[in-house]
Amino acid sequence: MDIKKRIVVLTGAGVSAESGIRTFRDSGGLWEDHDVMDVATPEAWERNMELVLRFYNQRRKQLYEVSPNAAHYALVELEKKYDVRIITQNVDDLHERAGSTHVMHLHGELKKVRSSVDESLVYTLDGWELKVGDTCEKGYQLRPHIVWFGEPVDMIPAAAQLTETADILVVIGTSLNVYPAAGLINYVLPGTPIYLIDPGHFDMGHITTLRFIKAKATEGVGTLLKELLD
Ligand code: OAD
């Protein structure tokens, strides 16, 4: 039997940048013209539900206007030879739309909504607009299915366990600034090769198994595929 090596891929906003979705830290401290504290916290939701809904409605609407890019497709290509498991911090669905079969969302999903009282009631939204007055089956207001700042990241234990099983770790387009997601790279077993694709600056010389491909995602994956598929 042919047992495939496992590649765990950690992606961030940078992998979707060339699809036209802006990253967070490249936007001058503002996220699509908003302070994240005004739109992506439980306090913001308490203070101004309409603004939060409008913000995520815009993000969701945009999602219907963009498409996966070469980087998303390259990760699908890797599945021919490897058991590829993607852990993404992104709330878009571009990995799934490209065709990746194993995608774990750490920070939630834009196209899903959930009850603001009973977290177990999660729904896929029909269309892009969630309004004040849209309720779950128990009658409570629905909210975006997004992990906001200050909320626990429930998927972290599962993601950490998965990262431990990696034969190779690939990290694409994340500033590794936001914890606990950024801490995942510490879960690889000693000696595991780590590929990092990002046009930004990283000070990770202490990781001896690191291969830093300093490039945009769509370009960097070309190098990655050459090294891992040839
Ligand atoms: P950031 O905005 O912090 O970082 C984006 C990274 O992508 C940076 O390292 C950029 O250098 C890199 N980048 C920019 N353009 C790129 C390109 N074309 N190709 C490859 N890389 C590129 O985004 P994340 O690290 O994903 O959380 O941010 C983590 C979390 O913080 C997000 O999930 C979000 C945010 O607040 C929530 O929404 C809960």
Side-chain angles (χ1 to χ4, degrees), residues 11-18 22-27 31 36 40 56 88-91 107-108 146-149 172-178 181 197-202 215-218:
T11 65
V15 79
S16 297
E18 288 161 274
R22 269 204 266 170
T23 64
F24 310 94
R25 267 143 214 98
D26 297 326
S27 314
W31 184 16
V36 289
Y56 282 100
T88 187
Q89 297 165 81
N90 299 343
V91 296
H107 293 158
I146 302 282
V147 179
W148 285 327
F149 287 95
I172 308 177
T174 169
S175 60
L176 296 173
N177 262 324
V178 175
I197 302 175
D198 198 294
H201 174 76
F202 288 83
K216 287 186 174 181
T218 57

Side-chain angles (χ1 to χ4, degrees), residues 5 14 31 33 49 51 60 72 81 93 102 113 129-130 136 139 142-143 163 174 178 195 199-200 209 217-218 225:
K5 277 192 176 179
W31 184 16
D33 304 324
M49 188 191 296
L51 173 68
R60 208 177 290 112
H72 299 103
K81 188 167 165 194
D93 62 349
H102 293 99
V113 296
E129 196 172 21
L130 182 63
C136 71
L142 289 169
R143 57 162 272 181
T163 306
T174 169
V178 175
Y195 290 81
T209 56
T218 57
L225 255 54

Side-chain angles (χ1 to χ4, degrees), residues 98-109:
S100 284
T101 52
H102 293 99
V103 185
M104 180 189 286
H105 286 269
L106 285 180
H107 293 158
E109 293 173 71

Side-chain angles (χ1 to χ4, degrees), residues 15-183:
V15 79
S16 297
E18 288 161 274
S19 290
I21 301 178
R22 269 204 266 170
T23 64
F24 310 94
R25 267 143 214 98
D26 297 326
S27 314
L30 293 183
W31 184 16
E32 299 285 355
D33 304 324
H34 292 279
D35 182 328
V36 289
M37 293 302 149
D38 289 337
V39 289
T41 62
E43 293 75 23
W45 178 250
E46 291 299 323
R47 215 169 35 232
N48 194 341
M49 188 191 296
E50 289 220 13
L51 173 68
V52 174
L53 287 176
R54 205 179 323 130
F55 176 76
Y56 282 100
N57 284 342
Q58 282 163 3
R59 307 278 73 71
R60 208 177 290 112
K61 195 173 178 193
Q62 179 191 37
L63 194 47
Y64 285 95
E65 293 156 7
V66 299
S67 308
N69 64 50
H72 299 103
Y73 287 115
L75 298 178
V76 183
E77 187 76 11
L78 276 183
E79 291 193 15
K80 285 185 184 156
K81 188 167 165 194
Y82 296 92
D83 171 17
V84 179
R85 307 296 174 109
I86 297 175
I87 302 171
T88 187
Q89 297 165 81
N90 299 343
V91 296
D92 66 53
D93 62 349
L94 296 180
H95 286 304
E96 288 93 337
R97 273 156 64 189
S100 284
T101 52
H102 293 99
V103 185
M104 180 189 286
H105 286 269
L106 285 180
H107 293 158
E109 293 173 71
L110 258 183
K111 285 188 175 170
K112 292 187 178 169
V113 296
R114 70 165 184 264
S115 167
S116 53
V117 175
D118 183 345
E119 287 202 354
S120 68
L121 298 175
V122 180
Y123 310 87
T124 299
L125 192 66
D126 223 3
W128 58 271
E129 196 172 21
L130 182 63
K131 300 192 199 101
V132 176
D134 288 343
T135 55
C136 71
E137 65 215 53
K138 291 186 178 170
Y140 302 118
Q141 174 68 41
L142 289 169
R143 57 162 272 181
H145 185 51
I146 302 282
V147 179
W148 285 327
F149 287 95
E151 293 187 321
V153 186
D154 293 340
M155 297 304 288
I156 281 293
Q161 248 179 24
L162 184 59
T163 306
E164 279 174 359
T165 68
D167 294 306
I168 299 169
L169 180 71
V170 175
V171 181
I172 308 177
T174 169
S175 60
L176 296 173
N177 262 324
V178 175
Y179 283 81

